[in-house]
Amino acid sequence: MEISGIISAAVIGIIIGVLGRLVVPGRQRIGILWTIVVGIVAALIGSAIAAGFGIGDTKGVDWGEWLIQIVLAALGVAGLDRIKGRR
């Protein structure tokens, strides 16, 4: 992965994190920085999963990859919220 790919993954990760947070119902007790971190991790892992399924690089918009990334981000936000809520 080139540096431009890493930078674009970070920018996409921010968007994915916010979308993942919007998907989770209710109020989350995590900050925006944690949302961004979860989004970046979800974007990277989601891209790898989509590439494994052969849907990571298609002509046009990669809806399958986006869906995987958003679901991973929503799971990450919900999981982190549960962990933070126990404290």
Side-chain angles (χ1 to χ4, degrees):
M1 185 176 254
E2 297 176 7
I3 189 72
S4 63
I6 294 172
I7 292 172
S8 64
V11 171
I12 296 295
I14 292 169
I15 296 167
I16 294 295
V18 171
L19 290 173
R21 188 173 180 140
L22 289 174
V23 170
V24 177
R27 183 178 183 274
Q28 293 84 38
R29 294 174 293 267
I30 63 172
I32 191 68
L33 279 176
W34 280 113
T35 302
I36 291 170
V37 169
V38 167
I40 291 170
V41 171
L44 293 171
I45 294 172
S47 293
I49 292 172
F53 284 121
I55 60 171
D57 191 23
T58 60
K59 294 180 182 177
V61 179
D62 296 327
W63 294 110
E65 182 177 10
W66 275 80
L67 181 65
I68 293 169
Q69 292 171 338
I70 292 170
V71 167
L72 288 174
L75 291 172
V77 167
L80 192 57
D81 181 51
R82 290 189 70 155
I83 291 169
K84 290 264 187 185
R86 291 183 186 163
R87 293 183 183 177

